[in-house]
Amino acid sequence: MSYAIDARPDAPDDWAAFARRVGSFYHEPAWGAALRDAFGFRVTYITARDATGTLAGILPLAETRSLTGVRRLVSLPFSYAAGPVARDAHADAALVAAARAVAAERGVGRLELKRDAAAAPLSEGLVRLSRYATYRLDTRGGEDAVWKRLHAGSTRRSIRKADRDGVRAERADDAAGWGVIARLQSATSHRHGLPAPPSTFFTVQCRALQAAGLADLYVARDADGDALGAVVLWRGARSWIYAFGATRPDALERRPTHALLWRAVRDAIAAGVGFDFGRAAPEQEGLVQFKERWGGVAHALAYDYWPAPSGPNVAARDRGALAWANRLWSALPAPVAARGAFLYKYLA
C-alpha cells in the first residue's frame, strides 16, 4: 500500500484530531509550536495519507543543534515519546522513510525517533536503544482503588503528613502562579546540576498551553499563603503527564510534592484519564523508586537512531561526563546559574 507524504512547518487542520485519537500530548500541534516559539527549533509536521486523502499517520520532528554545532532531527525535544503514530505498519514505514529524506535534504547528521512502545517495528537502517521506561499509574476503579496502589509506608504516609501540616494544593492559572513554578524550577534545577528552562517558557508558552486546555499548574501553599512547591502537568486526551515539579528546600519535610501529586492524580481520576509519572533511566534508582511508590508501572520506550547513537544519548546519568557536568553546574553561584537558562535548549 502506498501513501502520499507531506512535510510542512505547520500542522494541517486534521492533525490534532488524529493525534488525540492515537497519539499523546506530545503529538499535539500546540506542543510543537511551543517548542518552536520557546527555543527556536525548526519544527516539521510529516503526514501520510491514503488514496482518499485521509490521514493514516503523523510524525512531528524538530531540528536541534548541540553546543558543538551537531544538528539532529528529533521527535521531539523534551518529549519522552513523540515518534510515528500510524494506522498500520506501511504508513509507519512511510513516515520513517520521509524523516530520513528530510534529514538527507537538510544535511542533518542524526535522526532520533522516540517511540512509546518497544514492540513498534524497527525500520531498516536504524538502531534501537531501549534503556528508558515511563511509569504509568492505572487510575481505573476510582479514588479508593488508586489509593490502595500507592506505597503505604511512603507515599500514603507523606500525603497524610502534608495534610496534617496544613499544606494545600491549589490549581493556579494566573501570571503569579506561573511565576512561582519558574522561580522554584530555577532553584531546583540548579540543585540538580542542570540549567533550568527560561522563565518565559512557563509564563508564556506553558500558560498558553493551559489556556488551550493542554496543561495545568498546581501550587502548594501553607496556612499563610506562602508557596512551598508547584507541579506542571501536560494534559493529553487519554493521559496526563507529570512534566515539572519543584519544591522549596526548607519545605521538603512538609511533603508539598505529595500534596500536589495526589491532587493532580485525583483530578485525573475525575477526568477519566490515566496518569504518567514520566521517563527515567535505570541508573536513576531514586527517581524510579519514587515513581513506583506512586503506583507507576514501567512501560518500555524504544528510541530509534540513525546512525547508531553516541555521546549523551547513551551516557549513564550517574557517572562520567554527565555526572561531572552536573556537579560543576550545581557548584555555580545561583545568580550565575540562573543566567544560564539559555543553555536549556541544548539539553534536548
Side-chain angles (χ1 to χ4, degrees):
M1 183 180 295
S2 62
Y3 290 94
I5 299 296
D6 183 47
R8 61 177 68 181
D10 296 299
D13 292 341
D14 52 355
W15 178 292
F18 188 90
R20 289 165 193 169
R21 284 198 307 273
V22 299
S24 71
F25 163 83
Y26 294 123
H27 292 91
E28 289 279 352
W31 174 238
L35 293 173
R36 178 197 64 209
D37 296 343
F39 306 111
F41 299 135
R42 180 181 180 184
V43 179
T44 301
Y45 299 89
I46 301 178
T47 57
R49 297 182 184 274
D50 63 21
T52 68
T54 302
L55 265 183
I58 59 174
L59 171 59
L61 293 171
E63 185 177 323
T64 71
R65 187 184 298 269
S66 72
L67 279 170
T68 58
V70 176
R71 295 160 62 211
R72 294 184 301 148
L73 278 179
V74 185
S75 67
L76 284 166
F78 308 121
S79 313
Y80 71 70
V85 285
R87 202 168 61 194
D88 56 51
H90 296 290
D92 186 283
L95 291 168
V96 175
R100 292 281 300 272
V102 171
E105 178 185 342
R106 297 184 187 172
V108 175
R110 289 196 172 274
L111 176 66
E112 178 181 339
L113 304 179
K114 305 175 185 178
R115 294 182 178 271
D116 189 42
L122 177 63
S123 299
E124 183 178 355
L126 273 67
V127 176
R128 175 160 293 175
L129 180 67
S130 299
R131 58 186 294 262
Y132 292 108
T134 190
Y135 290 78
R136 294 173 181 156
L137 170 66
D138 183 354
T139 57
R140 292 174 297 181
E143 190 173 314
D144 290 343
V146 172
W147 179 259
K148 293 176 182 177
R149 295 183 186 118
L150 310 184
H151 191 279
S154 173
T155 308
R156 289 190 220 165
R157 183 172 62 188
S158 293
I159 293 170
R160 292 189 179 109
K161 176 175 174 51
D163 186 61
R164 289 195 306 270
D165 286 357
V167 179
R168 295 291 176 263
E170 306 169 350
R171 184 177 176 275
D173 59 5
D174 57 358
W178 284 105
V180 167
I181 183 62
R183 291 191 299 273
L184 291 176
Q185 189 63 52
S186 179
T188 298
S189 294
H190 182 217
R191 291 199 305 274
H192 292 166
L194 294 167
S199 61
T200 53
F201 172 68
F202 294 107
T203 59
V204 177
Q205 280 78 35
C206 290
R207 195 177 179 197
L209 288 169
Q210 183 183 43
L214 295 172
D216 240 330
L217 169 68
Y218 296 87
V219 177
R221 299 186 182 276
D222 62 16
D224 296 326
D226 292 332
L228 307 176
V231 299
V232 176
L233 303 183
W234 302 144
R235 292 170 50 118
R238 290 178 306 284
S239 181
W240 294 358
I241 302 168
Y242 175 28
F244 293 94
T247 303
R248 273 176 28 194
D250 63 332
L252 289 171
E253 288 302 315
R254 302 180 69 179
R255 304 295 193 268
T257 298
H258 285 79
L260 290 162
L261 286 177
W262 182 232
R263 165 68 191 272
V265 166
R266 284 185 289 137
D267 285 354
I269 295 167
V273 297
F275 197 90
D276 195 323
F277 286 92
R279 190 186 82 166
E283 68 270 14
Q284 296 175 294
E285 295 178 1
L287 183 60
V288 169
Q289 185 180 73
F290 177 83
K291 297 173 189 291
E292 290 178 337
R293 287 182 172 181
W294 272 94
V297 176
H299 289 256
L301 300 171
Y303 289 2
D304 297 342
Y305 297 89
W306 174 86
S310 62
N313 291 314
V314 294
R317 294 171 177 265
D318 61 345
R319 57 187 182 274
L322 288 181
W324 178 86
N326 292 156
R327 289 193 295 270
L328 178 64
W329 191 267
S330 62
L332 292 173
V336 175
R339 287 197 293 271
F342 72 94
L343 296 171
Y344 180 78
K345 68 178 182 180
Y346 298 109
L347 301 179

